Amino acid sequence: VFCSGLEIWWSLFYIYFYLIYLFIFSYFSWKNIASIFSVSSFSWEEVAVHSRSISSFRLLAVGAHGDLKLLEVEDPGQYQQPAIMCIHRGLRLTVRNIITLQLVVVCVFSGVCELRSVRVLSFAAGRCCVLLNSDWLLQLQWRQTEAEPQTSSCCNIQLTDGDGRSAVSHCVCRDFLFVLSSSGLTSVYNVSDGRLLASVDLPAYLSSGLADDDLSSSPSSSFSSSSSFCLLQVSADLSTAVAVTQSHAAIAVDLDHYFRMYPDHLLCAAPPSRPALRPEHQTDQDSLSSSNCSRAALGSTFSTDRSWEARLASMYSRAQQAAAPSSSSSSSSSSSSSSWSSSLPHTGASHQAPSSAHSRVPGGGVTVSFSVPESSSPSLLTVSEFSAQLTFVSPGNRQTTVALWDLESGSVSYHQAEDEAAPVQRCGERQHRLLLKKAGLFQVLFSVSQQDLLSRLMLFGSAATVDAVCHLNSWGRCSIPIHALQAGLKNRQLDTVDFYLKSKENLLNPAADQPAASGLSLTDSTHTDLISELCPALDLLCSAVRDSNSEAQSRQFSEQLLNITMNFVSTQIRSVLWSVVSTDEDADVQSCVDVLDRYVTDLRSYMKRFPWPAGGDTSSTSSADPAQEEAQGDEWEQLQAEEVVRQSILTNQIPRAQAVLRRRSCPEQRLPALRMEGLRQVFSCLQRRDLQTANTLLTNMGFSVTKQLHSICLYTDDKDLREFVVKEQVQSVAFIKEMERLGSLPAARCAADSEEVLEELAGQTRSEEEGGLWRNLRLDWVRNWDQSCQTAVLLSRLQHTELSSCDSAVLWCYLTALHDRRRVVDWINWHQETSSAPRWPELTPELVNNNTACSTYMRENILDLLARYSSTVHHITSCHCSAVPLRDLSCIVELLVVAHDCFSLTCNMEGIVRVLQAARHLSHTYLAPGEHYSLLVRLLTGIGRYNEMTYVFDLLHQNHRFEMLLRKKSSSLKTALLDYLKRCLPADSEKHNMVALCFSMRREIGENHEMAARTQLKIIESKAWVVDPELKSSLVKVLGLLKDAAESFSKDSCVRQASRCVRTAKLVALQLHFLNQGSDLRVINLRPAELLNAVTSLPRCYQVFVVSEAYSYSPDWAEILYQKVILKGDFVYLEELKRHRPLTSSLFEDIFKKLDGAPSSVTSNVKRLLTHCDDVYSRYRLAYQQNLYDVTKSLLQDAKTSSYLNDRLAS
């Protein structure tokens, strides 16, 4: 997928990565389809873009002889090959159900004498509309359970004068056919019966707009009435139509405004229908159903649903209608008028346009002239109520241009494709344009920057997706916003964290890609300024390490995050030190290193092997921490401080040395002091003439070797040392001269690790001229090569007669590494010939033991050959039984994988069993003890028998390397991992989340979060109810888990589970509200018997609804109102309840039944409560029962109620 920074619907963007297969296939497989099935044209079936469960797609093709073929494209999966070769190997064209319809037969029965043309107008949801001979419409319906299609309709359309000859464009939208003639006259037909429903005269409408406005200021003044139209498209809501001319001009029309101006052009307007005033099955005129029916018939705005949700929906609808902009007085009334399409006869309610959809086209229409090459012609057009997107193509697709026209502002944005590009046909209503080039498929998106695109992809997709998009578009890593890092830490997505840090890896050294000698330095910003940009991210990472380390189930994530962060900080320190090119920057660099060193100090306390305790020297303290005990047993504890520093630098284990030195309270525990000691040891090595060790020390500390040696030569007063350093440089120059001399000679044996190394350094492929790399050498290539490396490079050019003078160890290693069996055997045989000429160096047992670099197979042959001679049997056959090298292990693993494949293909069960036995032995004996976890994963996934190899899961889990399995994206591995976790680690929610996140198992993620939340609630329930900070912290954690669970469920369309989590989250939020207000009222973990007292104690009405929804409890409103209103006089509570639900007569009766034991002081509350009873008779009857005669008397004397009550009492 290629994306160039332009417009996107963010919620749908990542689904295109899956549907992209279909779009690629639609263009490149055309020749395959046409050649196999003799097809002249085809159309893809429109599918719902949001449906992720689609595994196959269908296309309807028109045959050369007037027949239709229904073809299906299936996605066979990742590892299957396509049946027909197309541009993408992931798609396969299968004729699972080819439907052939001889349209000639259909047309004969319909009265068509001759079939001249067939055109598919639309194909959506198994239903197609086909145009025959430009005047017949055929509708067919394919159902999943039926092999043959059903004919829905076949009718003749009533063409107006000239339509049949001049029709240039057809489009079907919502069961209406729009036909555009070259003169600009558009006719609208019903696709079911072919009736002419309406007509649109574009030139006349445009002329009326010109007459109303000043010609000099009208955007339509440049439009020519004599233009020949060629393309038409209508928006999905039927509010907007756009027509394009051959002269690269276009007109947009608000159809609602058009038919208000020309109502007589709406030929078949259906009379408005009103529902009956009374329901069909009338029971009670006072019932709610009867009221709703009357309200709908009269168009009344009164709503019987007085809930907060209903009111919010009503306000939202009115706001949407009011938000529709108007550019003129005529369009300002559009929001209050119904759509023109509502006046047309419909086959179903689904065709009604949304009430809030309004065209953004100004009244009178608007035109535009596109600035495109003259040779181009309009090809594809998509229209919405906001904008129109048009693609222009030229012969050979050499100047393809995509134009986006904003209908409200009139502005046009262009994208002209480089090189050849063909527009790709696709389905759906969204305005996206896909262009097919030789390099692949590109998506054109308007008004979106590259940074914004990648940021959105990071939030809604994954780091792997962003990395893939950057790679495909050859984009460098841009600056990723810190909220992407926050999201990655929240969801525990280590790939997102790693990608964020990689985007910042060159922040402190922008010239990292430049050679050190170029002299580039930071001029605009100092290191101190730049490090301030990293501090917020590093603070966030340190906080995440600290928080996750405090939870037992998150320790593994904490260790992984710690490893990533420490590596990043260490890399930044090396980068800063390497970038120093002048003494002026020393203070700035030192300040930057100090800041980074503080983060190293903070993070080291969480390291498993070498932690820093929280209080200085630990020699007098005891600790039961296993990590501390392991550190106390470090073999470096027995070394002197100078030797500890030396070993740590040479082996790149400086943090380990700092941990040891801190326990001794040595000053070298700090990085500056350690570096000074390292520099002193460099000088000491040079005094001993150990240049190789000095170079290694300088390189591993991040210094420039050339710069430091140059400084030593300038400032030392040791003449011998200065001459030694200069001599080494001279020797390097002499070595280059020798290489240049040998470059003119033919190669004796081309070494894979000699010329390829030179090619990599030169950054170019092998020169066509023989020896080209050998004649273009640079001193900085070889300055750090030791003598053995230089000799190995020269060996590839030395002739056979010159080999006897070479170093025997280097020569033996060189030949065995090349697997040069002929010369190795010749050397061994010569060694036994006492009278032969000296053409090989001396061969000793130590040389063979320490310098053999070949495979196990060749090593065995060498040992067999040497075993024939008594002089070397005990010495050599002894180091081969105690060595296990990594390259041999890798070879063994690959051999076992290949052997398993061979035995599986031949169904050799005995061989498979032997491979599995060998794999188990190799894993337990060599791979796991040697910490070769990558080989362990390769062995597991290569063989693929997960049920028989669960011990590998155990080994990786025990050694905290379980996450290495998640890098392998395999459905079978996913199933095996889930099965293993359920059987062996059912309580390890951390690993469940890791697996679920890796494989995008949103539902499982939600289940894990919900289970963790409910477990935490159970823990709270098991303790005494005491309001303290720990309780609040636990509830905040539960609330976060429930929010995450609801989000995960919703992403996987698990509505019921998401709603359940939302209800519980509201309950927890309510509990936190009470605690923050100082109340100890408990609403969580309530038993059924406690619910009534709990809801009665709640001060607000909405809180009762929250509790009721969370527990699926129907509250006793009569009891609640008795307690709240009658006894306490809280009429605010009553008013709040009335906003949520009506107060029925039965509710008042239930309340009054509870008044028998009420004190006499509540009489005033009872009388006031009665005023809220809308049923006058119930109010009178209840007042009479309670002997409230003053109330009954006032009701009988009131003119508004007396007549009604007298009639009721009389009956």
Side-chain angles (χ1 to χ4, degrees):
V1 180
F2 295 77
C3 300
S4 55
L6 308 169
E7 176 181 26
I8 188 168
W9 290 85
W10 298 112
S11 61
L12 301 175
F13 182 86
Y14 55 88
I15 304 178
Y16 274 78
F17 287 95
Y18 178 75
L19 295 181
I20 217 73
Y21 299 154
L22 172 63
F23 304 146
I24 296 176
F25 182 88
S26 67
Y27 180 81
F28 277 99
S29 62
W30 163 242
K31 293 185 178 178
N32 294 330
I33 300 173
S35 60
I36 295 176
F37 300 107
S38 299
V39 171
S40 59
S41 65
F42 68 94
S43 176
W44 287 101
E45 180 182 23
E46 292 192 12
V47 294
V49 179
H50 62 270
S51 178
R52 302 189 188 184
S53 60
I54 297 175
S55 60
S56 63
F57 304 89
R58 298 189 297 183
L59 60 90
L60 190 62
V62 180
H65 302 289
D67 53 355
L68 292 180
K69 301 177 186 295
L70 180 64
L71 308 178
E72 189 172 84
V73 178
E74 294 182 350
D75 182 3
Q78 184 178 0
Y79 301 105
Q80 299 184 27
Q81 296 294 329
I84 295 179
M85 183 56 63
C86 55
I87 191 61
H88 197 284
R89 62 188 296 178
L91 289 176
R92 176 178 62 198
L93 180 64
T94 60
V95 193
R96 188 186 74 177
N97 193 15
I98 298 184
I99 307 298
T100 301
L101 296 175
Q102 294 297 333
L103 293 182
V104 178
V105 178
V106 176
C107 295
V108 167
F109 281 103
S110 302
V112 181
C113 299
E114 180 184 359
L115 186 63
R116 298 183 300 274
S117 64
V118 178
R119 180 178 178 183
V120 179
L121 298 179
S122 65
F123 184 31
R127 181 185 178 191
C128 77
C129 182
V130 182
L131 181 65
L132 312 177
N133 294 356
S134 300
D135 57 358
W136 282 82
L137 280 176
L138 173 65
Q139 288 195 94
L140 300 173
Q141 180 73 46
W142 278 272
R143 294 183 174 86
Q144 295 290 343
T145 57
E146 300 176 0
E148 297 294 333
Q150 301 296 322
T151 302
S152 300
S153 65
C154 184
C155 61
N156 179 255
I157 58 177
Q158 305 167 8
L159 294 176
T160 59
D161 295 339
D163 274 357
R165 297 185 302 274
S166 62
V168 292
S169 181
H170 303 75
C171 71
V172 173
C173 186
R174 295 184 180 272
D175 281 344
F176 302 120
L177 171 63
F178 293 79
V179 180
L180 174 69
S181 66
S182 59
S183 62
L185 181 64
T186 302
S187 303
V188 185
Y189 299 92
N190 191 325
V191 296
S192 300
D193 55 17
R195 284 187 300 158
L196 179 62
L197 303 177
S199 62
V200 180
D201 192 339
L202 296 178
Y205 180 66
L206 190 61
S207 300
S208 67
L210 290 174
D212 294 339
D213 298 331
D214 182 13
L215 293 179
S216 61
S217 61
S218 173
S220 306
S221 59
S222 61
F223 189 84
S224 174
S225 60
S226 61
S227 300
S228 178
F229 290 87
C230 61
L231 196 58
L232 172 72
Q233 190 57 259
V234 181
S235 62
D237 58 11
L238 299 177
S239 67
T240 309
V242 175
V244 184
T245 69
Q246 293 180 350
S247 58
H248 304 160
I251 176 175
V253 175
D254 180 353
L255 293 178
D256 292 328
H257 181 265
Y258 178 89
F259 286 110
R260 282 195 296 273
M261 289 187 62
Y262 302 99
D264 54 325
H265 289 191
L266 199 58
L267 306 178
C268 294
S273 59
R274 279 188 174 179
L277 288 176
R278 297 181 180 180
E280 182 178 356
H281 303 287
Q282 182 177 351
T283 55
D284 184 4
Q285 293 184 2
D286 296 330
S287 66
L288 188 61
S289 60
S290 178
S291 174
N292 283 333
C293 181
S294 301
R295 179 179 59 86
L298 297 174
S300 173
T301 58
F302 174 77
S303 175
T304 55
D305 186 357
R306 303 173 67 182
S307 67
W308 181 83
E309 291 83 0
R311 289 175 177 267
L312 182 62
S314 176
M315 288 188 292
Y316 177 76
S317 178
R318 292 198 300 270
Q320 286 291 96
Q321 294 177 5
S326 57
S327 302
S328 66
S329 58
S330 58
S331 62
S332 62
S333 60
S334 61
S335 60
S336 60
S337 304
S338 60
S339 171
W340 71 277
S341 59
S342 61
S343 301
L344 297 177
H346 294 285
T347 57
S350 62
H351 302 293
Q352 287 281 1
S355 59
S356 61
H358 300 284
S359 176
R360 283 358 183 215
V361 178
V366 63
T367 64
V368 70
S369 181
F370 295 102
S371 301
V372 295
E374 290 295 333
S375 59
S376 61
S377 59
S379 173
L380 296 179
L381 174 64
T382 56
V383 177
S384 72
E385 65 268 30
F386 306 97
S387 61
Q389 190 177 86
L390 181 60
T391 304
F392 293 89
V393 297
S394 58
N397 294 320
R398 292 186 180 87
Q399 292 180 312
T400 301
T401 304
V402 182
L404 180 68
W405 181 21
D406 189 302
L407 300 179
E408 184 174 6
S409 66
S411 61
V412 181
S413 303
Y414 296 94
H415 171 76
Q416 185 163 0
E418 301 176 357
D419 304 324
E420 298 180 4
V424 178
Q425 174 195 353
R426 61 170 297 277
C427 62
E429 300 176 359
R430 301 299 183 190
Q431 289 189 329
H432 300 281
R433 177 54 60 230
L434 298 168
L435 300 179
L436 212 47
K437 301 183 181 181
K438 293 180 180 179
L441 193 68
F442 290 74
Q443 182 168 5
V444 180
L445 308 170
F446 286 98
S447 305
V448 174
S449 66
Q450 172 186 333
Q451 175 70 42
D452 199 11
L453 171 65
L454 296 182
S455 300
R456 296 285 181 153
L457 284 179
M458 178 70 74
L459 290 178
F460 297 107
S462 66
T465 301
V466 178
D467 212 8
V469 171
C470 291
H471 174 71
L472 289 172
N473 290 276
S474 300
W475 292 341
R477 288 192 178 96
C478 61
S479 178
I480 306 299
I482 195 170
H483 55 75
L485 175 64
Q486 293 174 325
L489 292 173
K490 176 183 178 182
N491 297 322
R492 304 201 168 182
Q493 296 172 312
L494 290 175
D495 59 341
T496 301
V497 176
D498 187 56
F499 187 82
Y500 177 88
L501 294 179
K502 285 181 179 178
S503 71
K504 306 293 183 183
E505 59 186 2
N506 292 330
L507 179 64
L508 300 181
N509 188 14
D513 297 331
Q514 301 294 331
S518 64
L520 292 177
S521 62
L522 299 174
T523 56
D524 297 334
S525 301
T526 64
H527 285 97
T528 306
D529 296 332
L530 294 174
I531 194 64
S532 62
E533 298 182 26
L534 275 182
C535 287
L538 293 176
D539 292 337
L540 196 61
L541 289 166
C542 291
S543 176
V545 170
R546 178 173 59 254
D547 295 342
S548 57
N549 187 73
S550 63
E551 302 176 0
Q553 67 271 21
S554 302
R555 288 280 169 81
Q556 185 169 352
F557 172 77
S558 176
E559 292 176 11
Q560 296 165 346
L561 185 61
L562 174 64
N563 184 42
I564 293 176
T565 308
M566 286 290 288
N567 288 339
F568 174 77
V569 176
S570 301
T571 302
Q572 294 305 306
I573 293 177
R574 287 195 297 270
S575 175
V576 170
L577 294 176
W578 184 260
S579 66
V580 179
V581 296
S582 67
T583 56
D584 297 337
E585 299 180 9
D586 287 345
D588 180 48
V589 168
Q590 184 61 47
S591 175
C592 181
V593 172
D594 290 341
V595 173
L596 294 173
D597 190 44
R598 286 197 295 269
Y599 287 106
V600 175
T601 303
D602 294 339
L603 291 171
R604 188 170 289 112
S605 61
Y606 302 101
M607 294 182 67
K608 180 181 178 184
R609 291 192 60 191
F610 315 112
W612 280 14
D617 187 15
T618 60
S619 58
S620 62
T621 60
S622 60
S623 173
D625 189 357
Q628 291 284 354
E629 295 177 1
E630 183 178 358
Q632 295 291 344
D634 195 339
E635 62 271 14
W636 285 5
E637 294 287 351
Q638 311 303 321
L639 302 178
Q640 296 294 328
E642 294 79 6
E643 186 61 24
V644 170
V645 173
R646 173 187 173 88
Q647 291 294 333
S648 67
I649 299 176
L650 290 176
T651 59
N652 280 319
Q653 299 186 74
I654 292 178
R656 178 182 177 184
Q658 289 179 288
V660 173
L661 297 171
R662 181 175 176 84
R663 287 192 288 271
R664 301 182 187 177
S665 299
C666 295
E668 289 82 0
Q669 63 178 296
R670 309 299 300 177
L671 191 58
L674 188 145
R675 291 175 62 208
M676 290 302 300
E677 174 60 30
L679 289 174
R680 284 193 293 269
Q681 298 203 23
V682 169
F683 190 79
S684 176
C685 289
L686 292 176
Q687 288 179 323
R688 298 193 305 269
R689 305 302 185 261
D690 187 359
L691 181 63
Q692 181 60 33
T693 303
N695 288 348
T696 304
L697 289 171
L698 288 171
T699 301
N700 289 355
M701 285 190 295
F703 289 106
S704 169
V705 176
T706 302
K707 178 181 177 181
Q708 295 300 322
L709 293 179
H710 181 67
S711 299
I712 290 174
C713 289
L714 288 177
Y715 299 109
T716 184
D717 57 357
D718 189 335
K719 176 182 177 182
D720 295 336
L721 178 61
R722 181 169 59 248
E723 291 180 351
F724 168 71
V725 175
V726 174
K727 179 182 177 182
E728 289 296 326
Q729 299 295 325
V730 172
Q731 288 180 350
S732 297
V733 175
F735 170 67
I736 287 183
K737 291 182 178 180
E738 179 67 11
M739 291 179 66
E740 291 172 343
R741 181 187 68 81
L742 294 175
S744 62
L745 303 176
R749 177 65 184 257
C750 183
D753 51 359
S754 60
E755 291 197 2
E756 288 183 2
V757 170
L758 295 176
E759 289 177 4
E760 181 179 353
L761 290 171
Q764 60 187 18
T765 57
R766 189 182 303 273
S767 176
E768 296 180 359
E769 180 183 356
E770 179 66 23
L773 287 174
W774 291 74
R775 300 192 186 97
N776 299 280
L777 301 173
R778 284 164 46 183
L779 182 61
D780 63 323
W781 292 358
V782 300
R783 65 186 179 194
N784 295 325
W785 292 2
D786 57 14
Q787 187 61 39
S788 61
C789 184
Q790 295 180 9
T791 304
V793 174
L794 292 175
L795 283 175
S796 64
R797 290 288 172 146
L798 290 178
Q799 301 302 312
H800 185 71
T801 56
E802 301 177 281
L803 294 178
S804 59
S805 61
C806 295
D807 180 81
S808 57
V810 175
L811 179 59
W812 178 264
C813 182
Y814 171 74
L815 294 178
T816 55
L818 288 177
H819 289 72
D820 193 340
R821 178 181 175 82
R822 180 184 61 80
R823 289 199 281 185
V824 168
V825 172
D826 183 63
W827 191 349
I828 296 175
N829 290 335
W830 172 86
H831 185 258
Q832 307 304 323
E833 298 176 4
T834 56
S835 60
S836 59
R839 65 177 184 271
W840 291 103
E842 188 68 20
L843 188 64
T844 63
E846 291 78 12
L847 183 147
V848 177
N849 285 340
N850 301 327
N851 299 281
T852 301
C854 58
S855 65
T856 305
Y857 177 75
M858 185 173 177
R859 183 193 298 268
E860 296 290 345
N861 291 339
I862 294 174
L863 292 177
D864 291 340
L865 188 60
L866 290 173
R868 302 175 186 176
Y869 309 105
S870 58
S871 61
T872 56
V873 171
H874 306 297
H875 295 283
I876 299 177
T877 57
S878 61
C879 294
H880 177 66
C881 303
S882 57
V884 186
L886 180 59
R887 68 183 66 186
D888 291 341
L889 287 177
S890 178
C891 181
I892 292 172
V893 168
E894 295 303 325
L895 286 174
L896 286 176
V897 171
V898 174
H900 174 266
D901 291 342
C902 296
F903 288 139
S904 298
L905 288 173
T906 57
C907 298
N908 189 332
M909 296 305 299
E910 181 181 356
I912 294 175
V913 170
R914 292 180 61 186
V915 168
L916 292 176
Q917 292 173 344
R920 178 182 287 271
H921 175 73
L922 182 68
S923 301
H924 286 284
T925 309
Y926 298 103
L927 299 183
E931 298 187 352
H932 303 307
Y933 302 113
S934 60
L935 293 179
L936 201 61
V937 174
R938 169 59 184 156
L939 184 66
L940 172 68
T941 57
I943 293 178
R945 294 187 176 269
Y946 302 111
N947 291 334
E948 292 85 350
M949 300 177 70
T950 53
Y951 59 86
V952 176
F953 295 143
D954 295 330
L955 291 173
L956 294 173
H957 169 63
Q958 294 164 7
N959 291 279
H960 305 288
R961 292 296 187 276
F962 198 79
E963 75 282 354
M964 296 181 69
L965 290 169
L966 306 183
R967 302 172 187 171
K968 305 291 183 179
K969 304 292 185 180
S970 167
S971 58
S972 58
L973 176 60
K974 176 184 73 173
T975 304
L977 282 171
L978 291 176
D979 181 66
Y980 173 78
L981 292 176
K982 290 179 181 178
R983 289 189 295 104
C984 303
L985 301 172
D988 196 339
S989 60
E990 180 68 23
K991 287 190 173 56
H992 280 273
N993 286 336
M994 288 171 56
V995 174
L997 283 170
C998 176
F999 294 100
S1000 299
M1001 303 163 63
R1002 300 294 183 183
R1003 181 176 61 82
E1004 287 77 4
I1005 296 173
E1007 291 175 349
N1008 291 336
H1009 285 317
E1010 184 182 15
M1011 183 182 299
R1014 298 197 180 278
T1015 301
Q1016 191 68 29
L1017 287 175
K1018 287 293 184 182
I1019 295 175
I1020 296 174
E1021 184 180 18
S1022 65
K1023 300 179 182 179
W1025 183 254
V1026 179
V1027 179
D1028 54 12
E1030 181 183 359
L1031 176 61
K1032 294 182 179 180
S1033 176
S1034 299
L1035 289 175
V1036 170
K1037 181 178 180 181
V1038 170
L1039 185 61
L1041 289 170
L1042 289 171
K1043 289 181 178 179
D1044 292 341
E1047 181 180 0
S1048 299
F1049 281 133
S1050 63
K1051 288 182 178 178
D1052 208 13
S1053 301
C1054 301
V1055 180
R1056 182 175 59 84
Q1057 294 92 327
S1059 301
R1060 181 178 64 228
C1061 292
V1062 169
R1063 292 194 298 268
T1064 309
K1066 289 181 179 180
L1067 183 70
V1068 175
L1070 179 61
Q1071 183 67 76
L1072 281 170
H1073 169 73
F1074 287 137
L1075 298 182
N1076 292 332
Q1077 296 294 325
S1079 171
D1080 61 350
L1081 179 63
R1082 179 171 61 90
V1083 294
I1084 62 171
N1085 297 324
L1086 294 177
R1087 297 181 177 87
E1090 300 173 317
L1091 285 172
L1092 180 58
N1093 289 334
V1095 297
T1096 305
S1097 303
L1098 294 174
R1100 296 290 302 277
C1101 183
Y1102 80 90
Q1103 297 167 351
V1104 178
F1105 287 107
V1106 171
V1107 175
S1108 302
E1109 290 177 356
Y1111 291 100
S1112 299
Y1113 169 71
S1114 298
D1116 186 353
W1117 286 110
E1119 178 64 25
I1120 295 174
L1121 292 179
Y1122 174 76
Q1123 296 288 339
K1124 293 286 187 182
V1125 180
I1126 299 296
L1127 298 183
K1128 298 180 181 180
D1130 189 355
F1131 284 89
V1132 175
Y1133 189 96
L1134 182 65
E1135 292 292 340
E1136 184 180 0
L1137 178 61
K1138 289 175 62 177
R1139 292 195 293 267
H1140 290 276
R1141 56 163 295 171
L1143 302 180
T1144 62
S1145 300
S1146 59
L1147 177 60
F1148 282 93
E1149 291 178 358
D1150 292 337
I1151 295 174
F1152 273 68
K1153 290 178 182 178
K1154 302 177 182 293
L1155 295 178
D1156 293 340
S1160 58
S1161 59
V1162 300
T1163 303
S1164 60
N1165 293 337
V1166 174
K1167 293 180 180 180
R1168 186 176 177 184
L1169 176 64
L1170 276 176
T1171 61
H1172 292 271
C1173 182
D1174 294 332
D1175 188 342
V1176 177
Y1177 180 71
S1178 297
R1179 192 192 314 172
Y1180 177 88
R1181 182 166 49 84
L1182 293 173
Y1184 187 83
Q1185 292 175 358
Q1186 294 297 323
N1187 299 324
L1188 302 175
Y1189 299 119
D1190 54 340
V1191 176
T1192 59
K1193 182 178 180 181
S1194 62
L1195 288 174
L1196 291 173
Q1197 293 176 350
D1198 190 347
K1200 297 179 181 178
T1201 58
S1202 59
S1203 299
Y1204 172 75
L1205 285 177
N1206 288 327
D1207 291 342
R1208 290 296 303 270
L1209 293 174
S1211 61

